[in-house]
Amino acid sequence: MILEILKYPDPRLRKRCEPVAEVTPELKKLAEDMLETMYASRGIGLAAAQVNQQIRLLVADIRPKENGRYKVDDMTDLERQAPMPFIIFNPEIVSKDGKTTYDEGCLSVPSYFETVERTKVIEIRGLDINGQEFMVKTDGLLAICLQHEIDHLDGKLFLDRLTPIRATRLKAKIKKNGYPDPDKADQDDDQEVEM
Ligand code: ZN
């Protein structure tokens, strides 16, 4: 089932999400619906907060798509070792190493992109779709995406990670121009991705 994705400045995106006690069949279904919603929007990641569910769950899939949007060479060795699609409940970053930047886009702020600084290599721990604890070390786009989604679970958006000047400028631009009609949006112009 395709879910509605909340768009900035919806105040529901600012709520903090709560950990799950266990992975119930209802939560498994939610994770599947979130993946379906993410694929339909051509995104690479989605947090439960974005579909108005205040629980600590995120999904991601950074594999190359049939439309050729991402090149397989772009995946790092660590990314190739990560389970895909990536589904994690109660995600927690347990180690961080290095810095990187990426031109990030967000399904809740569609068609706007800004360079954001993130940690380069992370180790993340949480529960998988079967409720089993697992830990993954990753880098590349997957590490960036997971940090972006965990921000959503804390009520944060990538706008909050910009300098005040850039954030003000971007918010003014969104207020003035709004969001494009998803059916008319140009979706195959470049490799910029939303999450
Ligand atoms: Zn986002």
Side-chain angles (χ1 to χ4, degrees):
M1 190 173 77
I2 294 187
L3 309 167
E4 187 202 347
I5 299 178
L6 302 179
K7 305 282 193 297
Y8 166 88
D10 194 311
R12 292 172 290 180
L13 285 167
R14 296 307 194 173
K15 290 186 186 168
R16 199 184 149 79
C17 297
E18 297 300 324
V20 305
E22 61 169 325
V23 179
T24 60
E26 291 74 24
L27 289 173
K28 278 187 192 184
K29 170 80 166 69
L30 173 63
E32 283 161 16
D33 287 345
M34 283 171 56
L35 274 176
E36 193 182 338
T37 303
M38 180 189 83
Y39 290 133
S41 305
R42 299 164 59 105
I44 59 158
L46 189 67
Q50 291 175 280
V51 292
N52 197 25
Q53 297 290 325
Q54 282 76 40
I55 56 168
R56 300 191 82 79
L57 160 64
L58 65 86
V59 300
D61 193 339
I62 52 115
R63 287 175 295 184
K65 303 294 188 290
E66 278 178 15
N67 61 28
R69 191 158 181 162
Y70 323 114
K71 297 193 189 89
V72 72
D73 298 348
D74 289 341
M75 282 179 84
T76 67
D77 289 342
L78 285 175
E79 283 178 307
R80 285 169 207 272
Q81 289 163 29
M84 284 292 157
F86 196 92
I87 299 167
I88 188 166
F89 292 87
N90 303 348
E92 205 182 325
I93 294 173
V94 291
S95 81
K96 295 180 163 196
D97 190 25
K99 292 279 172 219
T100 187
T101 58
Y102 190 75
D103 209 15
E104 290 187 21
C106 179
L107 291 169
S108 295
V109 194
S111 82
Y112 295 90
F113 298 87
E114 287 285 343
T115 306
V116 178
E117 187 180 279
R118 301 279 184 189
T119 298
K120 190 171 199 285
V121 189
I122 60 168
E123 271 182 294
I124 187 170
R125 185 174 66 189
L127 303 177
D128 69 13
I129 189 85
N130 298 311
Q132 300 295 310
E133 192 165 314
F134 75 112
M135 182 143 90
V136 164
K137 182 178 183 178
T138 194
D139 58 3
L141 187 53
L142 182 58
I144 289 162
C145 177
L146 296 177
Q147 291 171 79
H148 177 114
E149 303 310 337
I150 289 173
D151 272 359
H152 276 301
L153 301 181
D154 294 328
K156 273 194 203 142
L157 300 170
F158 78 98
L159 311 172
D160 307 325
R161 298 218 172 254
L162 307 177
T163 61
I165 290 173
R166 283 170 62 210
T168 304
R169 203 163 48 199
L170 180 59
K171 286 172 186 171
K173 212 157 90 178
I174 295 167
K175 206 170 176 183
K176 182 168 176 246
N177 301 326
Y179 299 122
D181 181 339
D183 298 330
K184 289 179 194 144
D186 184 8
Q187 291 185 317
D188 50 12
D189 47 350
D190 50 38
Q191 295 220 328
E192 284 177 324
V193 289
E194 293 177 339
M195 50 191 134

